[in-house]
Amino acid sequence: MDVSTLSKGLDTIWVVLTAAMILLMEGGFALLEAGFVRQKNAVSIIMKVFVDITFGALIFYFIGFGLMYGKDAGGLIGTSGFLLNGDLSHVVVNISHETYWLFQCAFVIAVISIVSGAVAERIHFRAYILYAIAMTGLIYPIAGHWVWSVGGWIGKLGMIDFAGSAVIHALGGFAALAAAIFIGPRIGKFTPDGKSNIVPPSNLPLASVGAFILWFGWFGFNSGSTLSATNGSIGHIAVTTMLSAAAGGAMCILFTMFRYQKADPPMVINGSLAGLVGITAGCAFVSDAAAITIGIVCGIAMVLVTEFMESKGIDDPVGAFAVHGVSGSLGTLAVGLFAMPELTKGVGQGYYGLFYGGGLKLLGVQALGLVVVSVWGFVLSWATLSLIKRIMPVRVSKDEELVGLDVGIHGVPAYNQDHDFLDLEQLKNGR
Protein backbone atom coordinates (compact mmCIF):
# COMPACT_ATOMS: atom_id res chain seq x y z
CA MET A 1 0.00 0.00 0.00
CA ASP A 2 1.46 3.37 -1.01
CA VAL A 3 1.54 6.44 1.21
CA SER A 4 -1.21 8.23 -0.75
CA THR A 5 -3.65 5.35 -0.35
CA LEU A 6 -2.85 5.02 3.35
CA SER A 7 -3.31 8.76 3.87
CA LYS A 8 -6.70 8.72 2.13
CA GLY A 9 -7.78 5.72 4.19
CA LEU A 10 -6.78 7.37 7.47
CA ASP A 11 -8.50 10.62 6.54
CA THR A 12 -11.66 8.74 5.59
CA ILE A 13 -11.77 6.94 8.93
CA TRP A 14 -11.15 10.22 10.78
CA VAL A 15 -13.89 12.11 8.95
CA VAL A 16 -16.47 9.31 9.29
CA LEU A 17 -15.75 8.96 13.02
CA THR A 18 -15.96 12.71 13.68
CA ALA A 19 -19.14 12.92 11.57
CA ALA A 20 -20.61 10.22 13.80
CA MET A 21 -19.58 12.25 16.88
CA ILE A 22 -21.40 15.28 15.48
CA LEU A 23 -24.49 13.21 14.69
CA LEU A 24 -24.44 11.94 18.28
CA MET A 25 -24.92 15.58 19.28
CA GLU A 26 -28.54 15.15 18.18
CA GLY A 27 -28.92 12.92 21.22
CA GLY A 28 -27.45 15.77 23.22
CA PHE A 29 -29.91 18.26 21.74
CA ALA A 30 -32.79 15.87 22.46
CA LEU A 31 -31.85 15.34 26.11
CA LEU A 32 -30.93 18.98 26.72
CA GLU A 33 -34.16 20.34 25.31
CA ALA A 34 -36.35 17.61 26.82
CA GLY A 35 -34.84 18.43 30.21
CA PHE A 36 -35.35 22.18 29.81
CA VAL A 37 -39.01 22.02 28.73
CA ARG A 38 -41.99 20.76 30.72
CA GLN A 39 -42.64 17.04 30.93
CA LYS A 40 -45.78 17.30 28.82
CA ASN A 41 -43.67 18.42 25.83
CA ALA A 42 -40.72 16.01 26.01
CA VAL A 43 -41.92 13.74 23.20
CA SER A 44 -42.50 16.70 20.91
CA ILE A 45 -38.85 17.72 21.34
CA ILE A 46 -37.66 14.23 20.45
CA MET A 47 -39.89 14.17 17.38
CA LYS A 48 -38.47 17.49 16.14
CA VAL A 49 -34.96 16.11 16.52
CA PHE A 50 -36.01 13.13 14.40
CA VAL A 51 -37.29 15.58 11.80
CA ASP A 52 -33.89 17.30 11.87
CA ILE A 53 -31.90 14.15 11.30
CA THR A 54 -34.23 12.45 8.79
CA PHE A 55 -35.62 15.24 6.63
CA GLY A 56 -32.40 17.23 7.11
CA ALA A 57 -30.19 14.46 5.72
CA LEU A 58 -32.47 13.75 2.75
CA ILE A 59 -33.02 17.37 1.76
CA PHE A 60 -29.31 18.15 2.07
CA TYR A 61 -28.58 15.16 -0.17
CA PHE A 62 -31.14 16.14 -2.81
CA ILE A 63 -30.70 19.92 -2.80
CA GLY A 64 -28.63 21.50 -0.05
CA PHE A 65 -25.19 20.07 -0.78
CA GLY A 66 -25.37 21.16 -4.40
CA LEU A 67 -26.40 24.70 -3.48
CA MET A 68 -23.64 24.87 -0.88
CA TYR A 69 -20.67 23.16 -2.53
CA GLY A 70 -21.64 22.91 -6.18
CA LYS A 71 -19.86 24.72 -8.98
CA ASP A 72 -19.96 28.42 -8.13
CA ALA A 73 -22.20 30.90 -9.94
CA GLY A 74 -21.15 34.48 -9.25
CA GLY A 75 -20.06 33.77 -5.70
CA LEU A 76 -23.69 33.35 -4.67
CA ILE A 77 -24.85 29.79 -5.21
CA GLY A 78 -23.76 26.30 -6.20
CA THR A 79 -25.07 24.75 -9.40
CA SER A 80 -23.87 21.13 -9.34
CA GLY A 81 -23.58 18.21 -6.95
CA PHE A 82 -27.29 17.60 -6.45
CA LEU A 83 -27.74 13.96 -5.36
CA LEU A 84 -23.90 13.98 -5.34
CA ASN A 85 -23.92 14.01 -9.14
CA GLY A 86 -22.45 16.45 -11.62
CA ASP A 87 -19.25 18.45 -11.51
CA LEU A 88 -17.60 18.43 -8.08
CA SER A 89 -14.02 18.55 -9.34
CA HIS A 90 -13.50 21.89 -7.59
CA VAL A 91 -14.08 20.25 -4.19
CA VAL A 92 -10.50 19.13 -3.59
CA VAL A 93 -10.31 16.95 -0.47
CA ASN A 94 -8.33 13.82 0.38
CA ILE A 95 -11.55 11.85 0.90
CA SER A 96 -14.41 10.82 -1.36
CA HIS A 97 -17.15 13.31 -2.06
CA GLU A 98 -19.58 10.93 -0.35
CA THR A 99 -17.51 11.06 2.83
CA TYR A 100 -17.32 14.84 2.58
CA TRP A 101 -21.11 14.99 2.19
CA LEU A 102 -21.58 12.89 5.34
CA PHE A 103 -19.49 15.29 7.40
CA GLN A 104 -21.26 18.35 6.04
CA CYS A 105 -24.63 16.64 6.54
CA ALA A 106 -23.89 16.40 10.25
CA PHE A 107 -23.37 20.17 10.28
CA VAL A 108 -26.67 21.03 8.60
CA ILE A 109 -28.56 18.81 11.05
CA ALA A 110 -26.99 20.74 13.93
CA VAL A 111 -28.14 24.07 12.44
CA ILE A 112 -31.81 23.20 12.37
CA SER A 113 -31.61 21.69 15.86
CA ILE A 114 -30.65 25.13 17.20
CA VAL A 115 -34.00 26.50 16.08
CA SER A 116 -36.06 23.63 17.49
CA GLY A 117 -35.42 24.64 21.10
CA ALA A 118 -36.40 28.27 20.61
CA VAL A 119 -39.91 27.32 19.45
CA ALA A 120 -40.39 24.44 21.87
CA GLU A 121 -43.78 23.82 23.44
CA ARG A 122 -45.86 25.74 20.89
CA ILE A 123 -44.86 25.22 17.23
CA HIS A 124 -47.03 22.93 15.14
CA PHE A 125 -45.25 19.74 14.07
CA ARG A 126 -46.29 19.95 10.42
CA ALA A 127 -45.16 23.55 10.18
CA TYR A 128 -41.84 22.61 11.73
CA ILE A 129 -41.27 19.96 9.06
CA LEU A 130 -41.71 22.58 6.33
CA TYR A 131 -39.41 25.01 8.11
CA ALA A 132 -36.75 22.30 8.55
CA ILE A 133 -36.90 21.59 4.80
CA ALA A 134 -36.38 25.28 4.03
CA MET A 135 -33.47 25.61 6.47
CA THR A 136 -31.59 22.51 5.34
CA GLY A 137 -32.37 22.90 1.65
CA LEU A 138 -32.03 26.64 1.13
CA ILE A 139 -31.28 29.01 4.02
CA TYR A 140 -28.17 27.36 5.47
CA PRO A 141 -26.68 25.98 2.21
CA ILE A 142 -26.68 29.36 0.48
CA ALA A 143 -25.09 31.14 3.44
CA GLY A 144 -22.58 28.31 3.70
CA HIS A 145 -21.73 28.70 0.01
CA TRP A 146 -20.90 32.37 0.54
CA VAL A 147 -18.35 31.58 3.24
CA TRP A 148 -17.03 28.04 2.74
CA SER A 149 -17.32 27.08 -0.92
CA VAL A 150 -14.77 27.60 -3.67
CA GLY A 151 -15.77 30.97 -5.10
CA GLY A 152 -18.11 32.11 -2.31
CA TRP A 153 -18.01 35.90 -2.16
CA ILE A 154 -17.49 36.26 1.61
CA GLY A 155 -14.85 33.56 1.67
CA LYS A 156 -12.97 35.32 -1.13
CA LEU A 157 -12.81 38.44 1.04
CA GLY A 158 -10.83 36.43 3.61
CA MET A 159 -13.38 35.52 6.28
CA ILE A 160 -12.20 32.84 8.72
CA ASP A 161 -14.84 30.58 10.25
CA PHE A 162 -13.11 27.28 10.85
CA ALA A 163 -16.02 25.16 12.11
CA GLY A 164 -18.96 27.54 12.00
CA SER A 165 -19.41 30.13 14.76
CA ALA A 166 -21.02 32.30 12.07
CA VAL A 167 -22.24 29.92 9.38
CA ILE A 168 -23.80 27.47 11.83
CA HIS A 169 -24.31 29.14 15.19
CA ALA A 170 -24.91 32.81 14.41
CA LEU A 171 -27.12 31.89 11.48
CA GLY A 172 -28.98 29.29 13.52
CA GLY A 173 -29.20 31.61 16.53
CA PHE A 174 -30.66 34.53 14.59
CA ALA A 175 -33.03 32.17 12.80
CA ALA A 176 -34.11 30.95 16.25
CA LEU A 177 -34.65 34.56 17.37
CA ALA A 178 -36.84 35.24 14.35
CA ALA A 179 -38.86 32.08 14.99
CA ALA A 180 -39.30 32.82 18.71
CA ILE A 181 -40.54 36.35 18.00
CA PHE A 182 -42.75 35.24 15.12
CA ILE A 183 -44.50 32.47 17.02
CA GLY A 184 -44.81 34.40 20.30
CA PRO A 185 -44.35 33.36 23.93
CA ARG A 186 -45.86 30.34 25.61
CA ILE A 187 -49.22 30.78 27.32
CA GLY A 188 -48.63 32.15 30.80
CA LYS A 189 -44.93 32.85 30.32
CA PHE A 190 -45.46 36.59 30.77
CA THR A 191 -48.00 38.43 32.90
CA PRO A 192 -50.20 41.18 31.38
CA ASP A 193 -47.79 43.80 32.73
CA GLY A 194 -44.83 42.07 31.03
CA LYS A 195 -43.32 40.33 34.04
CA SER A 196 -41.69 37.00 33.26
CA ASN A 197 -42.94 33.88 35.04
CA ILE A 198 -40.43 31.13 35.74
CA VAL A 199 -41.16 27.89 33.89
CA PRO A 200 -39.11 25.30 35.81
CA PRO A 201 -37.20 22.75 33.72
CA SER A 202 -38.69 19.27 33.97
CA ASN A 203 -35.43 17.37 34.38
CA LEU A 204 -32.11 19.13 34.95
CA PRO A 205 -30.07 15.89 35.25
CA LEU A 206 -31.36 14.96 31.79
CA ALA A 207 -30.42 18.40 30.46
CA SER A 208 -26.96 18.07 32.01
CA VAL A 209 -26.34 14.73 30.30
CA GLY A 210 -27.45 16.33 27.05
CA ALA A 211 -24.92 19.12 27.55
CA PHE A 212 -22.12 16.61 28.21
CA ILE A 213 -22.99 14.72 25.02
CA LEU A 214 -22.90 18.00 23.09
CA TRP A 215 -19.54 18.81 24.67
CA PHE A 216 -18.20 15.41 23.61
CA GLY A 217 -19.52 15.83 20.08
CA TRP A 218 -17.91 19.25 19.79
CA PHE A 219 -14.47 17.65 19.64
CA GLY A 220 -15.68 16.03 16.42
CA PHE A 221 -17.24 19.29 15.32
CA ASN A 222 -14.02 21.29 15.67
CA SER A 223 -11.18 18.80 15.33
CA GLY A 224 -12.97 16.96 12.55
CA SER A 225 -13.05 20.13 10.47
CA THR A 226 -9.39 19.51 9.66
CA LEU A 227 -10.70 16.72 7.39
CA SER A 228 -7.37 15.01 7.97
CA ALA A 229 -6.22 12.46 10.53
CA THR A 230 -2.61 13.63 10.16
CA ASN A 231 -3.18 17.35 10.58
CA GLY A 232 -0.84 18.60 13.27
CA SER A 233 -3.34 21.11 14.63
CA ILE A 234 -5.86 18.51 15.88
CA GLY A 235 -4.44 18.53 19.41
CA HIS A 236 -4.39 22.32 19.62
CA ILE A 237 -7.97 22.52 18.36
CA ALA A 238 -9.11 20.03 21.00
CA VAL A 239 -7.34 21.96 23.76
CA THR A 240 -8.80 25.37 22.81
CA THR A 241 -12.22 23.74 22.55
CA MET A 242 -11.90 22.29 26.04
CA LEU A 243 -10.55 25.46 27.62
CA SER A 244 -13.23 27.74 26.18
CA ALA A 245 -16.04 25.41 27.28
CA ALA A 246 -14.57 25.12 30.77
CA ALA A 247 -14.09 28.88 31.03
CA GLY A 248 -17.66 29.56 29.93
CA GLY A 249 -19.10 27.17 32.49
CA ALA A 250 -16.79 28.29 35.31
CA MET A 251 -17.54 31.94 34.69
CA CYS A 252 -21.28 31.26 34.79
CA ILE A 253 -20.88 29.51 38.13
CA LEU A 254 -19.09 32.54 39.58
CA PHE A 255 -21.18 35.15 37.80
CA THR A 256 -24.55 33.69 38.84
CA MET A 257 -23.32 33.20 42.41
CA PHE A 258 -22.50 36.90 42.45
CA ARG A 259 -25.64 38.00 40.61
CA TYR A 260 -28.25 35.67 42.12
CA GLN A 261 -26.44 34.58 45.32
CA LYS A 262 -26.52 30.98 44.08
CA ALA A 263 -25.08 29.07 41.14
CA ASP A 264 -27.85 28.76 38.55
CA PRO A 265 -27.80 25.27 36.95
CA PRO A 266 -29.47 26.10 33.59
CA MET A 267 -27.17 29.12 33.20
CA VAL A 268 -24.10 27.02 34.01
CA ILE A 269 -25.14 24.39 31.46
CA ASN A 270 -25.65 27.07 28.81
CA GLY A 271 -22.43 28.81 29.86
CA SER A 272 -20.33 25.82 28.86
CA LEU A 273 -22.24 25.56 25.59
CA ALA A 274 -21.67 29.28 24.99
CA GLY A 275 -17.93 28.74 25.38
CA LEU A 276 -18.08 25.90 22.87
CA VAL A 277 -19.99 28.02 20.37
CA GLY A 278 -17.63 30.95 20.81
CA ILE A 279 -14.45 28.99 20.12
CA THR A 280 -15.80 27.21 17.03
CA ALA A 281 -14.67 29.86 14.53
CA GLY A 282 -11.14 30.33 15.83
CA CYS A 283 -10.26 27.04 17.53
CA ALA A 284 -7.40 26.41 15.10
CA PHE A 285 -6.11 29.97 15.02
CA VAL A 286 -6.06 31.38 18.57
CA SER A 287 -3.92 30.71 21.63
CA ASP A 288 -4.98 28.83 24.75
CA ALA A 289 -5.23 32.12 26.67
CA ALA A 290 -7.44 33.60 23.98
CA ALA A 291 -9.68 30.52 24.12
CA ILE A 292 -10.16 31.04 27.87
CA THR A 293 -10.92 34.72 27.30
CA ILE A 294 -13.48 33.88 24.61
CA GLY A 295 -15.19 31.39 26.93
CA ILE A 296 -15.36 33.91 29.78
CA VAL A 297 -16.83 36.67 27.61
CA CYS A 298 -19.36 34.33 25.98
CA GLY A 299 -20.47 32.97 29.36
CA ILE A 300 -21.15 36.42 30.80
CA ALA A 301 -22.82 37.64 27.61
CA MET A 302 -25.10 34.61 27.56
CA VAL A 303 -26.44 35.39 31.05
CA LEU A 304 -27.00 39.07 30.30
CA VAL A 305 -28.68 38.44 26.96
CA THR A 306 -30.94 35.79 28.48
CA GLU A 307 -32.09 38.37 31.03
CA PHE A 308 -32.55 40.97 28.28
CA MET A 309 -34.67 38.61 26.18
CA GLU A 310 -36.93 37.97 29.17
CA SER A 311 -37.28 41.72 29.81
CA LYS A 312 -38.41 42.23 26.21
CA GLY A 313 -41.05 39.51 26.32
CA ILE A 314 -39.21 37.10 24.00
CA ASP A 315 -39.69 33.49 25.02
CA ASP A 316 -36.77 31.20 24.18
CA PRO A 317 -37.21 28.11 26.40
CA VAL A 318 -33.67 26.74 25.98
CA GLY A 319 -31.75 29.99 25.43
CA ALA A 320 -30.96 29.20 21.79
CA PHE A 321 -30.32 32.79 20.77
CA ALA A 322 -28.24 33.69 23.83
CA VAL A 323 -26.09 30.56 23.42
CA HIS A 324 -25.79 30.29 19.66
CA GLY A 325 -26.62 33.68 18.18
CA VAL A 326 -24.72 35.82 20.68
CA SER A 327 -21.79 33.50 21.36
CA GLY A 328 -21.49 32.68 17.66
CA SER A 329 -21.27 36.40 16.93
CA LEU A 330 -18.69 37.04 19.64
CA GLY A 331 -16.62 34.06 18.54
CA THR A 332 -16.65 35.21 14.92
CA LEU A 333 -15.44 38.69 15.89
CA ALA A 334 -12.87 37.25 18.29
CA VAL A 335 -11.02 35.75 15.33
CA GLY A 336 -10.43 39.27 14.09
CA LEU A 337 -8.84 40.12 17.43
CA PHE A 338 -6.96 36.97 18.47
CA ALA A 339 -5.99 35.09 15.29
CA MET A 340 -2.25 34.49 15.43
CA PRO A 341 -0.15 35.17 12.30
CA GLU A 342 1.74 31.86 12.54
CA LEU A 343 -1.56 29.94 12.64
CA THR A 344 -3.33 31.75 9.80
CA LYS A 345 -0.67 31.36 7.10
CA GLY A 346 -2.30 30.19 3.91
CA VAL A 347 -5.81 30.81 5.26
CA GLY A 348 -8.15 33.28 3.58
CA GLN A 349 -6.24 36.38 2.51
CA GLY A 350 -3.53 35.86 5.10
CA TYR A 351 -5.06 38.40 7.50
CA TYR A 352 -4.54 37.97 11.22
CA GLY A 353 -5.79 39.47 14.47
CA LEU A 354 -5.78 43.08 15.59
CA PHE A 355 -4.02 42.23 18.86
CA TYR A 356 -1.13 40.71 16.92
CA GLY A 357 -0.59 43.73 14.69
CA GLY A 358 -2.86 42.61 11.88
CA GLY A 359 -4.86 45.83 11.82
CA LEU A 360 -8.56 45.99 11.15
CA LYS A 361 -8.67 44.01 7.91
CA LEU A 362 -9.63 40.64 9.34
CA LEU A 363 -11.91 42.15 11.99
CA GLY A 364 -13.72 44.11 9.29
CA VAL A 365 -14.19 41.05 7.11
CA GLN A 366 -15.39 39.01 10.09
CA ALA A 367 -17.91 41.71 11.01
CA LEU A 368 -19.19 41.97 7.45
CA GLY A 369 -19.59 38.23 7.09
CA LEU A 370 -21.28 37.98 10.48
CA VAL A 371 -23.82 40.68 9.69
CA VAL A 372 -24.65 39.20 6.29
CA VAL A 373 -25.08 35.65 7.57
CA SER A 374 -27.09 36.73 10.64
CA VAL A 375 -29.45 38.98 8.68
CA TRP A 376 -29.89 36.26 6.09
CA GLY A 377 -30.83 33.73 8.77
CA PHE A 378 -33.27 36.11 10.48
CA VAL A 379 -34.99 37.48 7.38
CA LEU A 380 -35.28 34.19 5.50
CA SER A 381 -36.62 32.43 8.59
CA TRP A 382 -39.23 35.13 9.11
CA ALA A 383 -40.20 34.96 5.43
CA THR A 384 -40.38 31.16 5.50
CA LEU A 385 -42.62 31.11 8.57
CA SER A 386 -44.83 33.80 7.04
CA LEU A 387 -45.24 31.67 3.92
CA ILE A 388 -45.96 28.54 5.94
CA LYS A 389 -48.61 30.46 7.91
CA ARG A 390 -50.49 31.04 4.65
CA ILE A 391 -50.68 27.28 4.18
CA MET A 392 -51.27 25.95 7.68
CA PRO A 393 -51.17 27.01 11.35
CA VAL A 394 -47.64 27.62 12.60
CA ARG A 395 -48.68 27.49 16.23
CA VAL A 396 -50.70 24.79 17.96
CA SER A 397 -54.14 25.57 19.34
CA LYS A 398 -54.59 26.85 22.88
CA ASP A 399 -56.03 23.53 24.02
CA GLU A 400 -53.15 21.57 22.50
CA GLU A 401 -50.62 23.83 24.14
CA LEU A 402 -52.28 23.60 27.55
CA VAL A 403 -52.59 19.82 27.55
CA GLY A 404 -49.09 19.51 26.09
CA LEU A 405 -47.84 18.71 22.61
CA ASP A 406 -47.00 15.12 23.52
CA VAL A 407 -50.65 14.15 23.87
CA GLY A 408 -52.18 17.02 21.88
CA ILE A 409 -50.08 16.49 18.73
CA HIS A 410 -48.38 13.10 19.01
CA GLY A 411 -51.00 11.21 21.02
CA VAL A 412 -48.68 9.78 23.66
CA PRO A 413 -47.14 11.06 26.91
CA ALA A 414 -43.42 10.83 27.63
CA TYR A 415 -43.99 8.78 30.78
CA ASN A 416 -46.98 6.51 31.21
CA GLN A 417 -46.70 6.23 35.02
CA ASP A 418 -47.34 2.46 34.86
CA HIS A 419 -50.79 2.74 33.28
CA ASP A 420 -51.64 -0.46 31.42
CA PHE A 421 -53.96 1.37 29.03
CA LEU A 422 -54.30 5.01 28.08
CA ASP A 423 -57.50 6.84 27.21
CA LEU A 424 -56.29 9.72 25.04
CA GLU A 425 -59.58 11.58 25.33
CA GLN A 426 -59.30 11.57 29.12
CA LEU A 427 -55.69 12.70 28.91
CA LYS A 428 -56.65 15.57 26.61
CA ASN A 429 -59.41 16.57 28.99
CA GLY A 430 -57.02 16.56 31.94
CA ARG A 431 -58.50 13.45 33.68
PDB file of all heavy atoms in Angstrom, residues 62-78:
ATOM      1  N   PHE A  62     -30.483  15.811  -1.540  1.00  0.00           N
ATOM      2  CA  PHE A  62     -31.143  16.139  -2.806  1.00  0.00           C
ATOM      3  C   PHE A  62     -30.800  17.546  -3.298  1.00  0.00           C
ATOM      4  O   PHE A  62     -30.542  17.749  -4.486  1.00  0.00           O
ATOM      5  CB  PHE A  62     -32.669  16.022  -2.656  1.00  0.00           C
ATOM      6  CG  PHE A  62     -33.159  14.610  -2.489  1.00  0.00           C
ATOM      7  CD1 PHE A  62     -34.040  14.289  -1.469  1.00  0.00           C
ATOM      8  CD2 PHE A  62     -32.738  13.610  -3.337  1.00  0.00           C
ATOM      9  CE1 PHE A  62     -34.496  12.985  -1.306  1.00  0.00           C
ATOM     10  CE2 PHE A  62     -33.184  12.301  -3.184  1.00  0.00           C
ATOM     11  CZ  PHE A  62     -34.068  11.989  -2.174  1.00  0.00           C
ATOM     12  N   ILE A  63     -30.785  18.514  -2.392  1.00  0.00           N
ATOM     13  CA  ILE A  63     -30.702  19.924  -2.803  1.00  0.00           C
ATOM     14  C   ILE A  63     -29.549  20.671  -2.139  1.00  0.00           C
ATOM     15  O   ILE A  63     -28.741  21.316  -2.800  1.00  0.00           O
ATOM     16  CB  ILE A  63     -32.025  20.659  -2.471  1.00  0.00           C
ATOM     17  CG1 ILE A  63     -33.217  19.956  -3.115  1.00  0.00           C
ATOM     18  CG2 ILE A  63     -31.953  22.115  -2.917  1.00  0.00           C
ATOM     19  CD1 ILE A  63     -34.558  20.490  -2.643  1.00  0.00           C
ATOM     20  N   GLY A  64     -29.489  20.605  -0.816  1.00  0.00           N
ATOM     21  CA  GLY A  64     -28.632  21.503  -0.050  1.00  0.00           C
ATOM     22  C   GLY A  64     -27.165  21.425  -0.382  1.00  0.00           C
ATOM     23  O   GLY A  64     -26.492  22.460  -0.530  1.00  0.00           O
ATOM     24  N   PHE A  65     -26.623  20.201  -0.521  1.00  0.00           N
ATOM     25  CA  PHE A  65     -25.191  20.068  -0.779  1.00  0.00           C
ATOM     26  C   PHE A  65     -24.808  20.720  -2.103  1.00  0.00           C
ATOM     27  O   PHE A  65     -23.765  21.368  -2.215  1.00  0.00           O
ATOM     28  CB  PHE A  65     -24.794  18.593  -0.769  1.00  0.00           C
ATOM     29  CG  PHE A  65     -23.314  18.366  -0.915  1.00  0.00           C
ATOM     30  CD1 PHE A  65     -22.460  18.524   0.165  1.00  0.00           C
ATOM     31  CD2 PHE A  65     -22.772  17.994  -2.136  1.00  0.00           C
ATOM     32  CE1 PHE A  65     -21.088  18.321   0.036  1.00  0.00           C
ATOM     33  CE2 PHE A  65     -21.404  17.778  -2.280  1.00  0.00           C
ATOM     34  CZ  PHE A  65     -20.567  17.947  -1.190  1.00  0.00           C
ATOM     35  N   GLY A  66     -25.641  20.549  -3.114  1.00  0.00           N
ATOM     36  CA  GLY A  66     -25.366  21.164  -4.405  1.00  0.00           C
ATOM     37  C   GLY A  66     -25.370  22.680  -4.335  1.00  0.00           C
ATOM     38  O   GLY A  66     -24.510  23.350  -4.915  1.00  0.00           O
ATOM     39  N   LEU A  67     -26.353  23.243  -3.634  1.00  0.00           N
ATOM     40  CA  LEU A  67     -26.401  24.704  -3.482  1.00  0.00           C
ATOM     41  C   LEU A  67     -25.208  25.222  -2.696  1.00  0.00           C
ATOM     42  O   LEU A  67     -24.727  26.331  -2.930  1.00  0.00           O
ATOM     43  CB  LEU A  67     -27.693  25.111  -2.767  1.00  0.00           C
ATOM     44  CG  LEU A  67     -29.007  24.889  -3.523  1.00  0.00           C
ATOM     45  CD1 LEU A  67     -30.183  25.291  -2.646  1.00  0.00           C
ATOM     46  CD2 LEU A  67     -29.019  25.697  -4.824  1.00  0.00           C
ATOM     47  N   MET A  68     -24.711  24.423  -1.767  1.00  0.00           N
ATOM     48  CA  MET A  68     -23.643  24.874  -0.883  1.00  0.00           C
ATOM     49  C   MET A  68     -22.259  24.666  -1.493  1.00  0.00           C
ATOM     50  O   MET A  68     -21.420  25.565  -1.454  1.00  0.00           O
ATOM     51  CB  MET A  68     -23.744  24.142   0.454  1.00  0.00           C
ATOM     52  CG  MET A  68     -22.809  24.669   1.531  1.00  0.00           C
ATOM     53  SD  MET A  68     -23.320  24.037   3.152  1.00  0.00           S
ATOM     54  CE  MET A  68     -22.066  24.754   4.198  1.00  0.00           C
ATOM     55  N   TYR A  69     -22.021  23.494  -2.063  1.00  0.00           N
ATOM     56  CA  TYR A  69     -20.671  23.162  -2.527  1.00  0.00           C
ATOM     57  C   TYR A  69     -20.580  22.899  -4.028  1.00  0.00           C
ATOM     58  O   TYR A  69     -19.515  22.528  -4.524  1.00  0.00           O
ATOM     59  CB  TYR A  69     -20.143  21.945  -1.767  1.00  0.00           C
ATOM     60  CG  TYR A  69     -19.797  22.264  -0.338  1.00  0.00           C
ATOM     61  CD1 TYR A  69     -20.615  21.834   0.709  1.00  0.00           C
ATOM     62  CD2 TYR A  69     -18.673  23.023  -0.029  1.00  0.00           C
ATOM     63  CE1 TYR A  69     -20.300  22.134   2.025  1.00  0.00           C
ATOM     64  CE2 TYR A  69     -18.355  23.336   1.276  1.00  0.00           C
ATOM     65  CZ  TYR A  69     -19.175  22.887   2.300  1.00  0.00           C
ATOM     66  OH  TYR A  69     -18.868  23.202   3.610  1.00  0.00           O
ATOM     67  N   GLY A  70     -21.673  23.111  -4.736  1.00  0.00           N
ATOM     68  CA  GLY A  70     -21.638  22.910  -6.177  1.00  0.00           C
ATOM     69  C   GLY A  70     -20.812  23.970  -6.883  1.00  0.00           C
ATOM     70  O   GLY A  70     -20.322  24.930  -6.279  1.00  0.00           O
ATOM     71  N   LYS A  71     -20.638  23.783  -8.168  1.00  0.00           N
ATOM     72  CA  LYS A  71     -19.858  24.719  -8.984  1.00  0.00           C
ATOM     73  C   LYS A  71     -20.411  26.122  -8.838  1.00  0.00           C
ATOM     74  O   LYS A  71     -21.606  26.366  -9.003  1.00  0.00           O
ATOM     75  CB  LYS A  71     -19.882  24.279 -10.445  1.00  0.00           C
ATOM     76  CG  LYS A  71     -18.908  25.034 -11.330  1.00  0.00           C
ATOM     77  CD  LYS A  71     -18.866  24.441 -12.725  1.00  0.00           C
ATOM     78  CE  LYS A  71     -17.846  25.189 -13.586  1.00  0.00           C
ATOM     79  NZ  LYS A  71     -17.781  24.611 -14.956  1.00  0.00           N
ATOM     80  N   ASP A  72     -19.538  27.072  -8.512  1.00  0.00           N
ATOM     81  CA  ASP A  72     -19.963  28.418  -8.133  1.00  0.00           C
ATOM     82  C   ASP A  72     -20.559  29.189  -9.299  1.00  0.00           C
ATOM     83  O   ASP A  72     -20.096  29.097 -10.442  1.00  0.00           O
ATOM     84  CB  ASP A  72     -18.761  29.190  -7.580  1.00  0.00           C
ATOM     85  CG  ASP A  72     -19.118  30.628  -7.221  1.00  0.00           C
ATOM     86  OD1 ASP A  72     -19.901  30.822  -6.279  1.00  0.00           O
ATOM     87  OD2 ASP A  72     -18.639  31.546  -7.911  1.00  0.00           O
ATOM     88  N   ALA A  73     -21.593  29.982  -8.982  1.00  0.00           N
ATOM     89  CA  ALA A  73     -22.200  30.903  -9.942  1.00  0.00           C
ATOM     90  C   ALA A  73     -22.191  32.295  -9.339  1.00  0.00           C
ATOM     91  O   ALA A  73     -23.025  32.619  -8.489  1.00  0.00           O
ATOM     92  CB  ALA A  73     -23.619  30.466 -10.288  1.00  0.00           C
ATOM     93  N   GLY A  74     -21.210  33.096  -9.697  1.00  0.00           N
ATOM     94  CA  GLY A  74     -21.147  34.482  -9.250  1.00  0.00           C
ATOM     95  C   GLY A  74     -20.882  34.672  -7.779  1.00  0.00           C
ATOM     96  O   GLY A  74     -21.180  35.738  -7.227  1.00  0.00           O
ATOM     97  N   GLY A  75     -20.341  33.665  -7.122  1.00  0.00           N
ATOM     98  CA  GLY A  75     -20.056  33.773  -5.697  1.00  0.00           C
ATOM     99  C   GLY A  75     -21.273  33.633  -4.819  1.00  0.00           C
ATOM    100  O   GLY A  75     -21.174  33.789  -3.594  1.00  0.00           O
ATOM    101  N   LEU A  76     -22.433  33.314  -5.413  1.00  0.00           N
ATOM    102  CA  LEU A  76     -23.689  33.349  -4.673  1.00  0.00           C
ATOM    103  C   LEU A  76     -24.299  31.987  -4.408  1.00  0.00           C
ATOM    104  O   LEU A  76     -24.952  31.783  -3.386  1.00  0.00           O
ATOM    105  CB  LEU A  76     -24.708  34.212  -5.426  1.00  0.00           C
ATOM    106  CG  LEU A  76     -24.339  35.685  -5.612  1.00  0.00           C
ATOM    107  CD1 LEU A  76     -25.389  36.374  -6.473  1.00  0.00           C
ATOM    108  CD2 LEU A  76     -24.198  36.382  -4.279  1.00  0.00           C
ATOM    109  N   ILE A  77     -24.101  31.036  -5.320  1.00  0.00           N
ATOM    110  CA  ILE A  77     -24.850  29.791  -5.212  1.00  0.00           C
ATOM    111  C   ILE A  77     -24.127  28.682  -5.963  1.00  0.00           C
ATOM    112  O   ILE A  77     -23.401  28.948  -6.934  1.00  0.00           O
ATOM    113  CB  ILE A  77     -26.280  29.981  -5.772  1.00  0.00           C
ATOM    114  CG1 ILE A  77     -27.227  28.887  -5.283  1.00  0.00           C
ATOM    115  CG2 ILE A  77     -26.266  30.095  -7.285  1.00  0.00           C
ATOM    116  CD1 ILE A  77     -28.676  29.184  -5.598  1.00  0.00           C
ATOM    117  N   GLY A  78     -24.311  27.450  -5.509  1.00  0.00           N
ATOM    118  CA  GLY A  78     -23.755  26.301  -6.205  1.00  0.00           C
ATOM    119  C   GLY A  78     -24.735  25.758  -7.221  1.00  0.00           C
ATOM    120  O   GLY A  78     -25.948  25.834  -7.031  1.00  0.00           O
TER     121      GLY A  78
END
